[in-house]
């Protein structure tokens, strides 16, 4: 009897796995081709890239996504992208001051009439928030809430080194090219955008719901929009964020060519820094501490044997 039960359980598990596969699931996020410079116990962030990533955040993402946990001065603190030893106090750092001053924020302290005025941000202020509140954010984005990006690389990773950055990188560079998306007129006379799949197991068209965009790395279910074999549906889902990065979307201050991959790489690395602004120092301290403890252990072992040399035990 037990053998049948085991068999039945096994078959049941298999059926579940298969149905999970049929439901699509998201494509597994991947790191850039050369991996992440910050991966591993001694890897370090590539600060030029973190700086470029901040430029991408400022010029592209910050119109919809806030980063409430960061203040301008964090950019110039030790381990930050604009840290300069000439300015140990980040509030004096001219780059940081310039970034803050060029953002207008609503003063949290009311004026004499009890109203809040706009004023240039100071280095001690948190990053400018794009919307007054969540309702306004949803209203501007077709009902979807652009999440705060302060700790997004922690929130969307599976805990593996750099997995959150890989997710951001894959998501942002993983939208289908615009020439893969066709448009036809629907029954109601409105335009319908769709993608055609022509792969071995994947034959059919996938219709993008209005205001939603297909991305293979976004977890969701594409089944309802798919006219092909229901056992093989495209991986991924639909999200309310349109593709944000198109070739040359920013003009990098340092002259780097702004390809989609480059911008996705840079902004992912910036968000990796933002989620853990002290990681540089922690890692810089980690290896020497381990070596020190190792050396200490060896010395202790030898002295132990020396001290107890003449004692029977
Ligand atoms: C025009 C507004 C807008 C801009 C600009 C924008 N986003 Fe978004 N983003 C959204 C919205 C809306 C969502 C929520 C989508 C949903 O849940 O359907 C979102 C979701 C996300 C998510 C979360 C996806 C998930 O797993 O839930 C990430 C990460 C993200 N955006 C990163 C970025 C980055 C990085 C940039 C800049 C390169 C950027 N966004 C620019 C509107 C925007």
């Amino acid at each position: 009897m037990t053998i049948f039960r085991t068999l039945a359980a096994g078959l049941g598990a298999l059926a579940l796995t298969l149905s999970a596969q049929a439901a699509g699931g998201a494509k597994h996020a991947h790191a850039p081709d050369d991996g992440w410079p910050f991966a591993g116990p001694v890897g370090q962030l590539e600060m030029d890239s973190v700086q470029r990533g901040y430029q991408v955040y400022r010029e592209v993402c910050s119109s919809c996504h806030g980063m409430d946990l960061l203040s301008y001065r964090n950019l110039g603190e030790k381990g930050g992208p604009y840290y300069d030893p000439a300015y140990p106090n980040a509030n004096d750092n001219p780059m940081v001051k310039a970034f803050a001053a060029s953002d207008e924020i609503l003063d949290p302290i009311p004026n004499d009439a009890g109203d809040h005025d706009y004023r240039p941000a100071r280095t001690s202020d948190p990053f400018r928030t794009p919307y007054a509140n969540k309702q306004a954010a949803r209203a501007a984005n077709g009902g979807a809430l652009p999440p705060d990006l302060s700790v997004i690389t922690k929130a969307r990773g599976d805990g593996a080194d750099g997995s959150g950055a890989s997710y951001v990188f894959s998501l942002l560079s993983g939208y289908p090219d615009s020439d893969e998306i066709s448009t036809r007129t629907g029954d109601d006379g409105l335009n319908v955008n769709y993608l055609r799949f022509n792969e071995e197991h994947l034959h059919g068209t996938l219709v993008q719901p209005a205001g939603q965009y297909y991305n293979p790395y976004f977890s969701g279910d594409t089944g309802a929009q798919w006219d092909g074999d229901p056992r093989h549906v495209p991986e991924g889902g639909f999200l309310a964020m349109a593709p944000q990065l198109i070739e040359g979307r920013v003009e990098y201050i340092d002259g780097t060519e702004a390809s989609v991959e480059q911008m996705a790489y840079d902004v992912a690395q910036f968000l990796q820094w933002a989620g853990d602004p002290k990681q540089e120092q922690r890692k810089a301290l980690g290896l020497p501490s381990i070596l020190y403890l190792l050396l200490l252990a060896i010395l202790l072992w030898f002295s132990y044997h020396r001290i107890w040399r003449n004692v029977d035990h």
Side-chain angles (χ1 to χ4, degrees):
M1 255 351 247
T2 16
I3 182 89
F4 282 117
R5 257 192 233 163
T6 319
L7 210 65
L11 282 176
L14 191 70
L16 273 179
T17 323
L18 288 179
S19 69
Q21 253 165 14
K27 215 166 163 171
H28 199 68
H30 56 88
D33 288 345
D34 296 334
W36 291 113
F38 56 80
V42 290
Q44 294 276 324
L45 290 162
E46 192 187 322
M47 278 306 168
D48 292 348
S49 168
V50 178
Q51 290 186 355
R52 287 192 298 270
Y54 177 56
Q55 191 184 344
V56 176
Y57 170 74
R58 272 187 82 92
E59 293 180 17
V60 186
C61 325
S62 71
S63 57
C64 298
H65 294 277
M67 295 185 74
D68 290 352
L69 300 182
L70 275 99
S71 301
Y72 294 95
R73 68 181 147 71
N74 295 137
L75 296 163
E77 282 170 350
K78 238 184 177 153
Y82 289 96
Y83 173 67
D84 181 344
Y87 303 99
N89 179 349
N91 295 308
D92 301 331
N93 183 314
M95 289 300 284
V96 175
K97 279 165 124 170
F99 284 130
S102 58
D103 279 348
E104 290 261 298
I105 64 160
L106 210 52
D107 196 337
I109 299 165
N111 62 19
D112 292 342
D115 299 325
H116 296 270
D117 294 325
Y118 278 96
R119 62 156 169 83
R122 291 190 276 265
T123 52
S124 53
D125 284 315
F127 279 12
R128 190 183 71 90
T129 44
Y131 303 106
N133 48 54
K134 287 192 173 158
Q135 286 79 350
R138 281 189 192 277
N141 287 282
L145 185 69
D148 186 275
L149 295 182
S150 310
V151 289
I152 196 80
T153 51
K154 302 235 164 214
R156 293 291 189 276
D158 58 11
D161 203 1
S163 63
S166 294
Y167 173 68
V168 173
F169 170 74
S170 303
L171 183 79
L172 288 168
S173 58
Y175 285 94
D177 286 340
S178 54
D179 59 8
E180 289 174 50
I181 296 171
S182 321
T183 306
R184 63 167 186 250
T185 313
D187 298 337
D188 51 7
L190 296 174
N191 281 347
V192 176
N193 294 329
Y194 65 96
L195 291 103
R196 183 176 295 286
F197 287 78
N198 231 338
E199 291 153 34
E200 206 180 330
H201 291 298
L202 222 51
H203 269 290
T205 52
L206 185 69
V207 171
Q208 291 198 136
Q212 298 275 305
Y213 304 86
Y214 170 67
N215 190 302
Y217 297 95
F218 191 71
S219 47
D221 190 351
T222 53
Q225 309 298 122
W226 174 243
D227 71 357
D229 182 348
R231 285 170 304 171
H232 299 286
V233 303
E235 290 173 298
F238 302 97
L239 76 168
M241 175 168 73
Q244 295 301 320
L245 302 178
I246 41 166
E247 183 100 37
R249 178 74 172 74
V250 301
E251 197 174 315
Y252 278 130
I253 301 168
D254 67 5
T256 302
E257 204 181 305
S259 66
V260 172
E261 295 250 310
Q262 183 71 50
M263 289 180 286
Y265 174 86
D266 292 336
V267 79
Q269 196 158 189
F270 166 69
L271 294 173
Q272 171 72 23
W273 165 75
D276 188 358
K278 302 278 177 207
Q279 58 198 292
E280 290 274 285
Q281 287 135 288
R282 206 181 50 240
K283 282 188 176 179
L285 211 69
L287 192 68
S289 327
I290 290 172
L291 288 178
Y292 169 77
L293 287 174
L294 204 68
L295 200 71
L296 193 72
I298 294 170
L299 283 176
L300 279 174
W301 191 77
F302 278 116
S303 40
Y304 163 82
H305 278 275
R306 204 187 156 81
I307 292 166
W308 295 92
R309 193 179 33 187
N310 300 323
V311 180
D312 281 339
H313 59 283

